[in-house]
Amino acid sequence: MKRVVILISGGGSNMVALCRSMTGDHPARPVLVVSNDPDAGGLAKAREMGIATAVVDSRPFRGDRAAFEAELLKPIEAAQPDILCLAGFMRILTPDFVNRFSGRMLNIHPSLLPKYPGLHTHARALDAGDAEAGCTVHEVTPVLDDGPILGQARVPVRAGDTEETLAARVLEQEHRLYPAVLRRFADGDRRPVAL
Ligand code: GRF
């Protein structure tokens, strides 16, 4: 049974979708949810699902990424993860941290990578007049939002869309895509999922 640690910073809707998917004959189980923000709404959701949680507040560390990550590693390593899932985790991780989990750390990004790495992806798609948008699950590598793509889901951009309406349409697909990719990845299958 693969042990999955999920990192969040906010509401954790992707974390909830992942945890709900890991049941029955699924080869993985969530063992810990970690947040860098003590006020993250996802912490209460994880506890309601009976999943262990940890908080490593990033604010006291200011810009000292290495010091923050040294603390962050403690509960993660203690959970003995096989797979790490970043799910709405809003901190940039150093190459040292990323390389420690090379080949077994996933992230979901709300754009059709390689388009729009970084932030404000929906605003950028709307500004560009794109006909479609979507989300990507990829392996995390030291370059931000750049690793091997493990799955993508596409949505139409509709006339009158705002950042909020597009984000909501994409988020629905994130909740389908991430569990599908995790299931395949936990089975050792790296073929991309196309939804
Ligand atoms: C969402 O914008 C999602 O697109 C991105 O992180 C944000 C929060 O997601 N992956 P969640 O509800 O905390 O999973």
Side-chain angles (χ1 to χ4, degrees), residues 148-170:
I149 288 176
L150 294 171
Q152 292 196 308
R154 296 170 182 278
V155 300
V157 176
R158 298 193 198 291
D161 259 337
T162 63
E163 209 177 328
E164 288 71 28
T165 59
L166 182 53
R169 193 172 309 126
V170 172

Side-chain angles (χ1 to χ4, degrees), residues 8-15 45 87-90 107-110 122 167 170-171 174-175:
I8 67 169
S9 297
S13 69
N14 276 289
M15 174 274 296
K45 295 171 189 168
F89 186 67
M90 303 306 278
N107 180 47
I108 187 155
H109 179 75
H122 304 306
V170 172
L171 194 59
E174 292 180 37
H175 299 161

Side-chain angles (χ1 to χ4, degrees), residues 108-112 116 118 121-122 134-136 170 174:
I108 187 155
H109 179 75
S111 80
L112 295 171
Y116 315 130
T121 60
H122 304 306
C135 50
T136 303
V170 172
E174 292 180 37

Side-chain angles (χ1 to χ4, degrees), residues 22-96:
M22 287 185 261
T23 58
D25 65 354
H26 192 298
R29 289 295 185 275
V31 295
L32 180 68
V33 171
V34 187
S35 174
N36 69 291
D37 182 340
D39 301 325
L43 290 167
K45 295 171 189 168
R47 290 177 191 130
E48 278 160 28
M49 292 186 285
I51 298 162
T53 61
V55 174
V56 180
D57 191 339
S58 45
R59 288 169 300 188
F61 298 95
R62 296 272 177 278
D64 188 345
R65 292 189 193 288
F68 166 62
E69 290 175 357
E71 280 308 305
L72 184 65
L73 269 175
K74 291 175 185 169
I76 293 173
E77 299 283 19
Q80 298 179 298
D82 297 295
I83 299 169
L84 258 62
C85 289
L86 307 182
F89 186 67
M90 303 306 278
R91 305 289 303 175
I92 293 177
L93 296 164
T94 65
D96 284 351

Side-chain angles (χ1 to χ4, degrees), residues 119-138:
L119 297 174
H120 312 302
T121 60
H122 304 306
R124 291 153 71 190
L126 291 171
D127 292 349
D130 292 350
E132 64 175 12
C135 50
T136 303
V137 176
H138 63 95

